[in-house]
Amino acid sequence: MDRDKKKNEIFQAALKVFARFGYQKTTVDDVASEAGMTKGNVYFYVSSKRDLYEKTVSSALQKWRDTVGEAVAQVDDVVEKFSIMASLSFEYLVGQEELRSILTMDQSIFSLTPREDRFYEINLGAMQLIKDILKQGIKEGRFWSVDVDPTAELLFSIYIMFLIKRYVKSEGVSAARMYEEGMTIILRGLCATPPACLA
Amino acid sequence: MDRDKKKNEIFQAALKVFARFGYQKTTVDDVASEAGMTKGNVYFYVSSKRDLYEKTVSSALQKWRDTVGEAVAQVDDVVEKFSIMASLSFEYLVGQEELRSILTMDQSIFSLTPREDRFYEINLGAMQLIKDILKQGIKEGRFWSVDVDPTAELLFSIYIMFLIKRYVKSEGVSAARMYEEGMTIILRGLCATPPACLA
Amino acid sequence: MDRDKKKNEIFQAALKVFARFGYQKTTVDDVASEAGMTKGNVYFYVSSKRDLYEKTVSSALQKWRDTVGEAVAQVDDVVEKFSIMASLSFEYLVGQEELRSILTMDQSIFSLTPREDRFYEINLGAMQLIKDILKQGIKEGRFWSVDVDPTAELLFSIYIMFLIKRYVKSEGVSAARMYEEGMTIILRGLCATPPACLA
Amino acid sequence: MDRDKKKNEIFQAALKVFARFGYQKTTVDDVASEAGMTKGNVYFYVSSKRDLYEKTVSSALQKWRDTVGEAVAQVDDVVEKFSIMASLSFEYLVGQEELRSILTMDQSIFSLTPREDRFYEINLGAMQLIKDILKQGIKEGRFWSVDVDPTAELLFSIYIMFLIKRYVKSEGVSAARMYEEGMTIILRGLCATPPACLA
DNA sequence: AATGAATGAGGCTTCATTCAT
DNA sequence: TATGAATGAAGCCTCATTCAT
C-alpha cells in the first residue's frame, strides 16, 4: 500500500529525531518537519506520540534482528555462530548511529518483561538466538555446561552493552580494542577446551 | 551546618522521586512535596531543576563509592579485592533501589567523558579502583597481562551493567544466579593461573 | 492573507492592553483574552512576549508615520509643511490614546540608536521628514541657517514630547493652549524673516 | 538619628540599582545586596518595594531642586536667572547619571497631577521657579507677554526633556550642540527685544 | 490526505512579603 | 536590628492533541 510507504517515511524521520533529542525532548512537530509534513498529518498515521515512538523503534529493531538471524543461520560451527552473531551485530550497529543512540538513551527497550513490554517479542527473538547457540555449544561439548537461561540473559545484556554503550560517539577509548579484549575474555571463559575453542 | 542537613533532606526526597518518575517526568513540585516543603523553598537551596538532579545524583554516587572504596582498602589479596569490589557494589546497590533506578534511566551518568560530564570525577574514582586492582593482579602474576586501560573501562561497563541493569525490580531472572555465572566467567577469563586464582 | 488579518487583530488587542498596563504589568494572557483567543494561540503568531510588544508598537508607529508623511507630501510651502507635520501628528495622536500611552511609558521607543533599536528604521523615517523640511526652509531662505542634524534631533524630541507627554489624559492643562504657545515660540525662533514666516 | 543615616544608605543603594534595572526589573534583593544587608532587613526600614522606590526618588529630587533653587536665588537679572536655572540643572544632572536614568525610565515622576502623584509637591517647587522667572521677565518687559501657566508648564517639559532625555549615555549626537541650538531658539522666541535679551 | 489553527494543561522559575529567632 | 528561611502567587512558554476545512 501507499500508506505503508508513507508510514516508513515517518518512522525514518522519527528515528533520526528521537535519536538526536530523546523521547521527551522530541516534539511531534520536530518529527513532522523532518518528514516534510505537518503535525496534524502525522496524527493521521499514528495515534499518539508514544505510539509513534514504539512503532519507530520496533521497526528498526526488526530490521536489525532479521539481518543478524539470517547470517547466523548460514553457518554450522557453533563458535563461528557466536562470533558472527557478535561481530555482525556490532558491524550492523556501527552503521546505525541513530538506532544506537536510541538504545543508549532508552535501555528499557531491552527489559525482557512480558508485561507492558512493547518490544518483548522482538527481544525474545534475539534471546532465542543466543540460547540456541549456547545449547548447541554445550551439546557438542565445546562450551562448559553452564545454566542456559541465566547465561543467555547475561550474554544478551553484555552483548547489548557491548554493542551499544561502548560505541557512543563521544566515548574516547578505542571500540575495537575493547571489543577484542572483551570477546577474548568471554570466549575464554565460556569454552570448555580453550585450544579448540579459539582455534 | 543546619543548611547542609536540610539540603540532604531535599536530596533524599529528590532521589526518591527522580527514581520513580525519571528526570523529565518529575516536577520540582513533586520533589518539594516529598520533602515536605514548598517549591519556592526548594529553589532556595538549588538553582534549577537540573542543578537539583545533579546534586542529588552526585550525593548518592559519592556515598556508594566511599562505601566500596573503604571495604576494598581493608584487604590485600588482589582476587579478594576484586571479589569484594564486585560483591559489595552489588550488595550496596541491592539496598539502594532508588539509586539503581536512576542509574538505569540515565546511563549518561557513566559516560566517562571529561568534557561536560557532571559526574566525571566521581566516575574516575571508581575506574581508578578497578585499574589499581588490575595492575596489582598483573604485577603479582595473578592476572593475564591485559591492556589495563581498555580492560578497566570494559570491566567498569560490565560492572555497571551487572550491578544495575540486571537488578531492576521488574526483571524476572534471579540476580544471584546471573551474578555467579558472570563472576565465574570473568574471573576465569582474567586469571593467568586458574587454579590459584579461583582457589 | 487571512493570517495577517488575524495578526492585526492581535496587535490591536495588544495595543489596548499594553497601553493600559505597560509592558511588564501586561500578561500574555491579558492580551489573549482581549483578542478573544487563548494564550497558546497567541504564541502561534508571535514568538515571545517581547516579540508581541515590538510588533505591536512597530505596527502602530508605521501607521502614524505613513499618515503624516502622505499629508506633508501634498503641500509645497515649507512653513506650511512644518505646520502640517506638527498639527497632523498632533491630531493623529489625539485619536490614538493607546499609542500615546505606550509612547509615554516607553520612551526608549525613540532612542534613535541604530544598535539594538527595534524601531530604528521607523524613527529614521520621521527624522528624515523633519530634516527635509529644515533643509528646504534654509535653502529657500525662510529659516535661519541652523545646523540641520542636531536641530532635527532636537525638534524630533520636542515634537515627541509635545505630542505625547503633554496629552496624557490625566494631565490638566489645556493641550491646545500649550500647543499654540509652543508652536509660536519654535517658529519664531526658527524663521529668518519673522513677518514673512508667520504671515 | 542613626536610623536616618541607615535609611539614606539604603536610598543611595536603591538609586543605583533602580537606575540600572528600572523599577520592575529590580528586586528587593538587589537593593539589599547593594546596601550590604539582607532583604528582610530592608523591610524594617520601608514598608514595601513601592515605598522604597518613592522614598528613593523623592530624596534624590529634593537634593536636585535645592541645589538649583539656591543658585538662582543669588542673581537678579532675569535672563541670567533663566540661564542659570537651565545650565545648572543641566550640569547637576550631568554628574547624576543614576537619577537621570531613573527620570528617563519613569517619566511619570513629572506628571504634575495632584491626585496620586507622589512627587507632586517636589514638582510644584520646580514649576514655581520657572513661573517666577517668567513673571519677572514679563514685568520687566524683557519677555513677551506670554500666558504664564501653560508656558511654564511647557518650559518645564522641554526642560525636563532637554536635561534628561538627551543625555542618555547611548545617544550619539553631541549634547552640548543640541543644548546650544535649543537654548538660542527658546530664548530668541521668548524675548521681546532680542538684542537686549541675548546681550 | 493534508493543513493551519486552536486549545489547555502544566512545567519551570521568580519574587514580594512574612516570620521566627 | 538583622538574618535566613519559607511561602505562594503569578508569569512565560511549550506542546500533545484535536478539529474544521
Side-chain angles (χ1 to χ4, degrees), chain C residues 82 158 162 175-189, chain D residues 150-151 154 158 185-186:
Chain C
F82 188 94
I158 293 183
F162 230 153
R177 202 59 173 282
M178 204 173 77
Y179 173 73
E180 283 165 34
E181 294 284 351
M183 277 298 92
T184 305
I185 290 174
I186 298 287
L187 265 178
R188 201 189 290 146
Chain D
T151 304
L154 164 69
I158 293 183
I185 291 174
I186 299 287

Side-chain angles (χ1 to χ4, degrees), chain A:
Chain A
M1 275 208 278
D2 207 17
R3 171 149 187 153
D4 279 353
K5 217 173 74 187
K6 205 82 188 175
K7 272 191 178 181
N8 270 328
E9 280 177 38
I10 294 178
F11 295 156
Q12 205 173 324
L15 195 69
K16 198 168 183 174
V17 188
F18 280 129
R20 189 149 159 206
F21 302 118
Y23 178 77
Q24 294 269 11
K25 285 281 189 189
T26 295
T27 72
V28 178
D29 239 344
D30 290 336
V31 175
S33 291
E34 182 66 37
M37 56 178 69
T38 58
K39 204 165 39 168
N41 199 23
V42 168
Y43 275 90
F44 183 75
Y45 295 95
V46 296
S47 67
S48 71
K49 186 186 174 185
R50 195 80 226 168
D51 184 42
L52 170 61
Y53 178 72
E54 295 181 359
K55 281 179 177 150
T56 297
V57 176
S58 288
S59 151
L61 288 180
Q62 198 67 261
K63 280 183 202 159
W64 181 26
R65 202 199 62 176
D66 289 352
T67 304
V68 175
E70 285 163 16
V72 165
Q74 285 172 345
V75 298
D76 294 324
D77 186 85
V78 72
V79 171
E80 205 176 338
K81 273 191 176 177
F82 189 93
S83 291
I84 284 181
M85 179 189 68
S87 62
L88 182 53
S89 293
F90 168 80
E91 277 163 31
Y92 181 86
L93 275 196
V94 162
Q96 305 288 327
E97 191 175 327
E98 287 152 5
L99 178 54
R100 245 164 46 215
S101 172
I102 286 177
L103 297 177
T104 305
M105 285 172 174
D106 183 3
Q107 255 200 335
S108 80
I109 288 171
F110 299 110
S111 77
L112 288 175
T113 50
R115 73 191 60 257
E116 66 164 326
D117 187 348
R118 312 132 299 165
F119 309 109
Y120 185 58
E121 294 207 5
I122 293 178
N123 285 329
L124 270 197
M127 280 285 293
Q128 198 53 52
L129 208 60
I130 300 177
K131 282 186 191 170
D132 290 345
I133 293 175
L134 284 180
K135 281 178 191 163
Q136 183 183 344
I138 292 168
K139 193 175 167 193
E140 294 177 358
R142 309 279 300 276
F143 291 170
W144 287 73
S145 182
V146 295
D147 194 339
V148 171
D149 282 0
T151 303
E153 210 171 323
L154 164 69
L155 287 179
F156 182 65
S157 298
I158 293 184
Y159 147 102
I160 295 304
M161 180 274 304
F162 231 153
L163 297 168
I164 301 148
K165 183 169 185 310
R166 289 294 86 187
Y167 302 110
V168 177
K169 219 181 175 179
S170 57
E171 306 254 340
V173 175
S174 150
R177 199 61 171 283
M178 206 174 76
Y179 174 74
E180 284 166 33
E181 295 283 351
M183 276 298 92
T184 305
I185 291 174
I186 298 286
L187 266 178
R188 202 188 292 146
L190 210 51
C191 290
T193 52
C197 197
L198 296 173

Side-chain angles (χ1 to χ4, degrees), chain D residues 19-88:
Chain D
R20 189 148 158 207
F21 302 119
Y23 178 78
Q24 296 268 12
K25 286 281 188 189
T26 295
T27 72
V28 178
D29 239 345
D30 291 336
V31 175
S33 292
E34 182 66 38
M37 57 178 70
T38 57
K39 206 165 38 166
N41 199 23
V42 167
Y43 275 90
F44 184 75
Y45 294 96
V46 297
S47 67
S48 72
K49 185 186 175 185
R50 195 80 224 166
D51 185 42
L52 170 60
Y53 178 72
E54 295 181 0
K55 281 180 176 149
T56 297
V57 175
S58 288
S59 152
L61 288 180
Q62 198 68 261
K63 280 183 202 159
W64 181 25
R65 202 199 63 177
D66 289 352
T67 303
V68 175
E70 284 163 17
V72 165
Q74 284 171 347
V75 299
D76 293 326
D77 185 84
V78 72
V79 171
E80 207 176 337
K81 275 190 176 178
F82 189 94
S83 291
I84 284 180
M85 179 189 68
S87 61
L88 183 53

